[in-house]
Amino acid sequence: MDELGLSAGAKGISEGIKTGREAGREIGKNIEEVQKEAVDVAKERANARIRERREAEFKKERAIFKALDEYRHRKQISEEEYKLRVEFIKKYGTKEWDKVIQIKNEIEKIEKADKEYFDAELSKVRWVQFWCFLVAAWIAWYIVWGHKQ
């Protein structure tokens, strides 16, 4: 029987089966790890979704409180302006009040023009800053890789 190589063949089959079992166990472990990672990712996403919902609710509630504060502030200003207007008109008359309104409008126009000028200058500064960053990036690229070509 040994001459036919049956014992060597049996040993080979046995070792093949053993190797197959080990490979199967390894594959099983890998599958379990992948499944565990998938469950962890799903839990993490669910927690993130819950956290985002809570943050949205908090922002919504906070926005309501901000709106209420802003309403109270505006109402207080309008009431004070009304009282001021009544007192001023009693003391100086409606023609003088019209002059105050004209001065107020002029001040608002000046403030609007100043804001537009500031925004335009800021835009120019940002444009120059962009080009500076671009040139700096090009110089850095040239120093690192450009001179090697």
Side-chain angles (χ1 to χ4, degrees):
M1 283 194 188
D2 273 337
E3 292 177 12
L4 296 176
L6 290 176
S7 64
K11 282 184 181 179
I13 291 174
S14 174
E15 288 177 12
I17 292 172
K18 184 179 176 183
T19 305
R21 281 187 207 154
E22 290 175 7
R25 286 185 195 131
E26 196 65 34
I27 290 172
K29 287 180 185 177
N30 287 339
I31 290 172
E32 287 175 3
E33 289 175 6
V34 168
Q35 288 175 341
K36 184 181 177 196
E37 288 176 6
V39 169
D40 290 344
V41 168
K43 286 180 182 178
E44 185 177 319
R45 287 185 180 172
N47 289 337
R49 203 172 301 128
I50 290 169
R51 193 176 325 115
E52 287 174 4
R53 189 176 341 116
R54 286 181 183 161
E55 288 175 3
E57 288 173 3
F58 177 72
K59 286 180 182 177
K60 186 177 178 181
E61 289 174 5
R62 189 171 176 192
I64 289 173
F65 290 120
K66 282 184 177 180
L68 286 172
D69 289 342
E70 184 65 24
Y71 172 78
R72 290 178 186 138
H73 180 68
R74 288 182 183 183
K75 185 169 176 89
Q76 181 183 6
I77 289 173
S78 64
E79 288 172 356
E80 289 175 3
E81 285 179 354
Y82 178 75
K83 289 177 185 175
L84 180 66
R85 179 177 180 236
V86 169
E87 290 175 13
F88 189 88
I89 290 174
K90 283 181 183 177
K91 190 171 186 180
Y92 300 105
T94 56
K95 289 183 180 181
E96 296 298 318
W97 179 253
D98 291 338
K99 290 180 183 178
V100 169
I101 296 298
Q102 286 176 343
I103 294 170
K104 175 188 161 209
N105 291 337
E106 290 173 7
I107 291 172
E108 287 175 347
K109 285 180 185 177
I110 291 171
E111 288 176 351
K112 183 179 178 184
D114 288 345
K115 184 182 179 328
E116 289 173 358
Y117 177 76
F118 174 78
D119 290 344
E121 291 299 310
L122 184 62
S123 175
K124 291 176 187 176
V125 167
R126 287 183 177 158
W127 184 248
V128 169
Q129 190 177 28
F130 165 77
W131 281 105
C132 289
F133 287 142
L134 187 66
V135 169
W138 183 81
I139 291 171
W141 175 85
Y142 184 77
I143 289 172
V144 175
W145 293 289
H147 71 285
K148 294 180 182 178
Q149 292 180 354

